[in-house]
Amino acid sequence: MARTVIAGNWKMHGLKADLAVIQAVADGLADKPDNIEALLCLPATLVASGAALAAGTDLEIGGQSCHQAGRGAHTGDISAEMLADAGASHVIVGHSERRADHGESDGQAAAQAEAAIAAGLTPIICVGETLAERESGKALEVVTKQVLGSVPEAAGTTSVIVAYEPVWAIGTGHTPTPEQIEEVHAAIRATLSQRFGDAGAKIPLLYGGSMKPGNAAEILAVQDVNGGLIGGASLKAEDFLAIYAAAVSQLS
Ligand code: 13P
């Protein structure tokens, strides 16, 4: 059985003034059960200060992207080792916004995930179909291809997380039905189990896309949904903690 992970993705939001939100989230995790992880993936500028605030609490801090190279002439990029050095434990790779804004491919996502693993980080590898792909009946085919291309071989022997984020659900207020989520998560689980055996059965599969306190319990109850990757609702401590509480209540 995969562990539960509730992860926030702040995207390009957050200034020093918002460190108070991180503190409030950390405070709200008191008495966290062992079989659930809570983390916030912050903009790079806040990773070090966020990690310092979260030190000694149950909140973990992640980055949102990393370069596949360890170091070098890559102006504006950040390496996995830099994120780890700043106090991150996780990093998102292959988010659809990176794929759309920066043309990142499955191969790059896999290379970034490998770089993250080499630096001691847990990669959160994102996949998800567009609306056009879903409407043309290709959602499962597209997502399976992304999983095969974006999840590196090392996932068989080390900790990785996979997030299913249908592009059409991100920031739109539209979510798939529980049946649609279940169908895609089952396909991802089957692909990972086929490739990695028992290790594939233990990889946490997160759902992401317009997840909020009002729909979290229903989504988290879906078979093979092991948590959430939350954008907008992670910017408010109260909303993020409500989703976390929904996950905790399903553990017991
Ligand atoms: P929203 O929760 O804002 O839809 O974003 C989801 C997401 O992209 C998380 O990575």
Side-chain angles (χ1 to χ4, degrees):
M1 177 69 184
R3 68 190 187 284
T4 301
V5 179
I6 298 295
N9 174 9
W10 276 21
K11 308 193 179 185
M12 201 168 73
H13 299 282
L15 300 172
K16 275 186 285 183
D18 301 301
L19 291 172
V21 177
I22 301 169
Q23 184 70 61
V25 169
D27 291 346
L29 299 177
D31 300 324
K32 186 188 75 59
D34 284 343
N35 47 355
I36 183 165
E37 272 177 51
L39 65 127
L40 291 175
C41 297
L42 302 175
T45 48
L46 290 184
V47 168
S49 43
L53 262 185
T57 76
D58 282 324
L59 178 65
E60 296 176 281
I61 298 296
Q64 299 175 7
S65 175
C66 66
H67 198 279
Q68 60 261 39
R71 63 185 61 77
H74 303 291
T75 302
D77 277 311
I78 186 162
S79 73
E81 189 184 10
M82 289 169 183
L83 289 171
D85 188 48
S89 54
H90 294 68
V91 62
I92 297 170
V93 301
H95 192 284
S96 61
E97 287 152 14
R98 298 293 307 177
R99 293 174 187 259
D101 293 355
H102 300 275
E104 292 185 357
S105 63
D106 289 336
Q108 271 171 295
Q112 292 167 1
E114 276 172 359
I117 291 165
L121 302 177
T122 298
I124 302 171
I125 304 158
C126 299
V127 296
E129 82 285 0
T130 62
L131 187 58
E133 288 163 342
R134 173 154 289 272
E135 286 179 340
S136 58
K138 295 210 167 95
L140 292 184
E141 184 190 322
V142 166
V143 169
T144 301
K145 182 164 174 284
Q146 288 176 334
V147 170
L148 288 170
S150 308
V151 177
E153 218 37 52
T157 51
T158 192
S159 167
V160 307
I161 295 169
V162 172
Y164 167 55
E165 301 204 306
V167 177
W168 51 275
I170 295 177
T172 59
H174 301 301
T175 51
T177 63
E179 292 74 23
Q180 286 173 321
I181 297 174
E182 184 170 348
E183 185 183 36
V184 178
H185 277 236
I188 297 173
R189 178 66 74 208
T191 303
L192 294 173
S193 293
Q194 222 165 35
R195 195 165 154 208
F196 302 115
D198 280 355
K202 290 202 182 107
I203 294 173
L205 302 187
L206 314 187
Y207 168 79
S210 297
M211 198 160 167
K212 44 186 188 268
N215 61 21
E218 184 181 39
I219 292 172
L220 291 167
V222 173
Q223 179 78 20
D224 267 318
V225 171
N226 308 116
L229 182 54
I230 300 127
S234 73
L235 296 169
K236 281 195 192 158
E238 193 188 338
D239 287 357
F240 182 78
L241 288 169
I243 297 170
Y244 163 80
V248 170
S249 71
Q250 290 194 6
L251 288 173
S252 44

